[in-house]
Amino acid sequence: MNRSRAFLAGVAAVGTAVTTLAAAPGATAHQLPRAHGPKNVIVMISDGWGYNHIAATDYYQYGRTGTQVYEHFGLRTAMSTYSVEGSYSSRATWSSFAQTASGATDSAAASTAMSTGAKTLDGAIGKDRSGKDLVHAFQVAERAGRSTGVVTSVQFSHATPAGFVAHNTTRNDYSGIAREMIYNSATDVVMGAGSPCHDANGRANGCTGSTKYVGGATTWADLTDTDGALGADANGDGKKDPWTLVQSRQAFQQLAHGRTPRRVLGVAQADQTLQQGRACTTTATNPLTEVTGCAETPYETGGNTSVPTLSEMSAAALNVLDQDRDGFGLMVEGGAVDWASHANSLGRLIEEQAEFNRAVQTVVQWIGSHGGWKNNLLVVTGDHECGYLTGPGSDPTWTKVVNKGRGHLPLAEFHSSDHTNSLIPFYAQGSGAERLFAAADQHDSVRGRYLDNTELGSTLKRLLAG
Ligand SMILES: [Zn+2]
């Protein structure tokens, strides 16, 4: 088989995605509720995911693909993710294995695009390339009387949650970003890791850790000072809306039911991320990238038990935000899929993606008992692919991830320790999904129709303004 035919066979092995739209099982496009937009808009981002991250996790969790609730959503399409100095070419991507490993975005520019509808420079948060503040979709939502929230499994001041709330020329100014979220934003729920008083294993460290992720020593003192007077006017009634700080897993779990405070800042008891950074007993070096990472199989060592899961944080956030009769906007990030991918650690990647999948399930169940798809829009996507995860023996062609059955690590390999410019999976269901379907009007020879990350941002702004 000559090279080009072998190559095309390799491309075919990647599998073509087809963009379809069925708002709810059995419905066709013309039955979609066009009259009014969604009351609530929920965007769930698996940071660093790609098609093979989903397949590898499906195989480990269930021994077959197509098992996740979002894989059956009405809108199943792809999204381009490049930042302001980048671009995406279907021809270039599928004519050279190495192509997609260059020209990738970072998470700051990606989340800014998905939140504001504008491309910007890598590293920028809520600012355009000239440094001018951009308007976030959640700011539009707040002006329309809605509540808003961001939840993540990494530090709450990290690039993706920051990219939906803050404005900063650099994602690395964690303290400045945290202070904007805490003192100046109108956001009602902010949850993530970043505790200066706990380590990567969730153990107390006498508060000797860095306070930069929570706004610096003064802000942390303000936050933990029991008078609870900290926080700006979040609902525009001219009165301060103080934050309620929660830290213990139990406190997060209790927020999922019954009455709750109006504004909640949740700092889980881990320094950087809930699980992925915990101690690892076995490491291995990937000969393709020379990256040494955790080589444990999923859950080989028990996880941290003193921190909430992403599902528990999502349930808590929904119950806090749901108090607002005007509706809400919520972003939930599985942030450490990316970290495990940078480390070429398949076991930890699958742990993180599986927990993200459970969080999506939790949100879908919540929607089922809170107005259904008529009142809610759920978007499930990523911000960029990370690790260039493929099937075994790829390069120069692409092979499929190999299923080894439920509970067994599938066969896959990482060809990068960084982000790629691949198109990523994008799923949506509910009121307003038809607008995202209409935006998916570009075409890729392998993935089919796709939209750009800025089109998500501009659509969110339109839907949340109403
Ligand atoms: Zn990354």
Side-chain angles (χ1 to χ4, degrees):
M1 186 188 280
N2 68 25
R3 212 175 107 55
S4 65
R5 275 211 349 253
F7 189 84
L8 289 173
V11 169
V14 170
T16 54
V18 180
T19 299
T20 64
L21 177 71
T28 55
H30 67 273
Q31 285 169 323
L32 284 164
R34 294 191 190 288
H36 67 86
K39 178 183 172 196
N40 309 315
V41 174
I42 303 160
V43 179
M44 302 188 73
I45 295 171
S46 175
D47 194 315
W49 93 340
Y51 290 87
N52 290 324
H53 295 65
I54 298 172
T57 307
D58 277 358
Y59 287 143
Y60 185 83
Q61 280 193 285
Y62 301 106
R64 59 191 169 83
T65 54
T67 54
Q68 305 303 334
V69 64
Y70 50 82
E71 292 178 286
H72 301 280
F73 274 6
L75 177 57
R76 302 186 292 276
T77 187
M79 183 169 73
S80 53
T81 63
Y82 55 90
S83 53
V84 75
E85 290 173 345
S87 63
Y88 177 80
S89 154
S90 178
R91 177 185 294 276
T93 297
W94 299 110
S95 55
S96 133
F97 187 84
Q99 170 70 24
T100 201
S102 61
T105 185
D106 84 321
S107 292
S111 59
T112 297
M114 291 190 280
S115 173
T116 68
K119 298 273 187 198
T120 190
L121 298 167
D122 288 342
I125 296 283
K127 283 186 179 279
D128 69 13
R129 65 177 314 160
S130 69
K132 196 165 103 335
D133 279 10
L134 295 161
V135 177
H136 291 293
F138 285 2
Q139 288 177 288
V140 173
E142 290 280 353
R143 287 177 199 154
R146 288 183 162 94
S147 292
T148 62
V150 291
V151 170
T152 180
S153 58
V154 296
Q155 304 97 325
F156 70 78
S157 49
H158 206 264
T160 305
F164 274 78
V165 172
H167 304 85
N168 201 300
T169 50
T170 173
R171 58 180 289 168
N172 298 318
D173 179 13
Y174 290 103
S175 293
I177 288 167
R179 284 198 294 275
E180 182 185 348
M181 289 168 130
I182 293 166
Y183 291 107
N184 305 323
S185 84
T187 310
D188 304 280
V189 168
V190 174
M191 291 178 174
S195 169
C197 302
H198 298 82
D199 65 15
N201 300 301
R203 280 194 289 264
N205 63 8
C207 298
T208 54
S210 167
T211 57
K212 71 175 178 182
Y213 302 119
V214 292
T218 316
T219 304
W220 185 243
D222 276 357
L223 272 172
T224 49
D225 168 337
T226 51
D227 74 0
L230 188 60
D233 170 16
N235 57 11
D237 65 357
K239 283 184 267 140
K240 272 189 150 193
D241 298 294
W243 291 104
T244 296
L245 176 67
V246 299
Q247 299 184 73
S248 73
R249 181 176 189 180
Q250 200 195 9
F252 278 95
Q253 292 167 329
Q254 281 164 354
L255 279 175
H257 310 284
R259 292 182 60 80
T260 72
R262 292 303 296 235
R263 278 188 103 188
V264 174
L265 179 66
V267 182
Q269 297 177 330
D271 58 352
Q272 307 218 5
T273 186
L274 302 176
Q275 298 291 347
Q276 186 269 344
R278 73 185 190 276
C280 173
T281 54
T282 338
T283 62
T285 301
N286 175 2
L288 297 171
T289 60
E290 289 162 10
V291 167
T292 300
C294 180
E296 285 175 355
T297 55
Y299 320 110
E300 189 177 318
T301 50
N304 295 341
T305 55
S306 59
V307 293
T309 62
L310 190 64
S311 308
E312 287 166 348
M313 292 168 110
S314 304
L318 289 166
N319 192 38
V320 173
L321 294 170
D322 186 41
Q323 296 173 84
D324 190 326
R325 276 197 297 273
D326 299 320
F328 62 80
L330 172 64
M331 190 288 294
V332 174
E333 181 203 23
V337 172
D338 178 67
W339 297 14
S341 300
H342 279 291
N344 289 179
S345 169
L346 187 61
R348 292 270 161 110
L349 182 167
I350 287 172
E351 284 183 5
E352 293 296 322
Q353 184 57 43
E355 179 49 37
F356 178 83
N357 292 342
R358 283 188 285 271
V360 175
Q361 193 68 38
T362 296
V363 171
V364 168
Q365 271 151 10
W366 182 91
I367 287 173
S369 55
H370 292 81
W373 296 114
K374 268 208 172 62
N375 277 329
N376 294 280
L377 172 66
L378 176 56
V379 172
V380 179
T381 188
D383 57 350
H384 54 72
E385 196 272 353
C386 184
Y388 203 170
L389 187 68
T390 71
S394 288
D395 190 7
T397 62
W398 292 266
T399 66
K400 282 191 171 180
V401 173
V402 176
N403 183 13
K404 301 304 277 182
R406 183 182 186 147
H408 298 280
L409 267 187
L411 302 183
E413 58 190 26
F414 294 96
H415 288 265
S416 170
S417 60
D418 210 334
H419 304 169
T420 69
N421 194 33
S422 318
L423 294 184
I424 60 171
F426 182 99
Y427 305 93
Q429 177 103 343
S431 171
E434 72 283 358
R435 299 200 191 182
L436 295 163
F437 175 67
D441 55 3
Q442 296 170 79
H443 187 80
D444 180 75
S445 59
V446 172
R447 302 299 182 193
R449 290 170 59 144
Y450 68 94
L451 76 166
D452 183 60
N453 56 8
T454 52
E455 293 174 299
L456 171 58
S458 49
T459 304
L460 291 180
K461 281 179 156 177
R462 282 198 298 277
L463 291 171
L464 286 166

